[in-house]
Amino acid sequence: MNDPLYDILLDVYGSEAEIARVFKVERVTHWRNRVPEHAAFKCHFSPKVPYTYDVSVYGNDWKGLGLDLNNTVNLTTNFEVTTNDQELHQNAA
C-alpha cells in the first residue's frame, strides 16, 4: 500500500519524474512506502498539495517548537533580487 501523501503527489504532479524535479531529487520511487518528513512538511505549506502535515505519522512531538500547523501561512518565494535596486544602493552608500 502506498503512502497516502505519495498518491496525492502523483495526482498533483502526474508522474514520479515531475515529483522528483519539484523536490530536486533523482528518484522518488522509494517514497511509495513513506514520503520523507521534510517533503511532507513542504507539502503542508504548498497551496498546490491538499495535505495537512501530521506529526504523529513521523513519530515526533513538535510542541516544544511551538509550531502552529493549523495556520498555513502563504509563503512567497518568487520575489526577484536585483542589483539594480536604487533604494538598496542608496541605503548601502
Side-chain angles (χ1 to χ4, degrees):
M1 186 164 119
N2 288 346
D3 182 321
L5 177 53
Y6 176 82
D7 290 333
I8 291 170
L9 289 171
L10 274 180
D11 287 343
V12 171
Y13 295 108
S15 70
E16 286 184 351
E18 185 62 13
I19 296 168
R21 187 191 68 74
V22 167
F23 285 93
K24 296 182 171 102
V25 296
E26 287 186 32
R27 295 179 315 186
V28 296
T29 302
H30 58 284
W31 289 14
R32 286 181 180 164
N33 297 325
R34 186 171 186 178
V35 174
E37 185 174 21
H38 67 87
F41 201 63
K42 290 175 183 177
C43 290
H44 175 83
F45 290 103
S46 171
K48 289 184 174 183
V49 182
Y51 172 77
T52 301
Y53 176 79
D54 182 358
V55 295
S56 67
V57 170
Y58 296 95
N60 292 321
D61 177 14
W62 289 64
K63 290 181 183 177
L65 292 175
L67 294 177
D68 181 3
L69 296 174
N70 295 320
N71 183 9
T72 54
V73 178
N74 255 346
L75 300 177
T76 303
T77 58
N78 294 332
F79 57 90
E80 183 178 337
V81 176
T82 176
T83 58
N84 296 327
D85 186 339
Q86 292 303 316
E87 183 179 344
L88 177 67
H89 287 288
Q90 288 173 351
N91 290 340

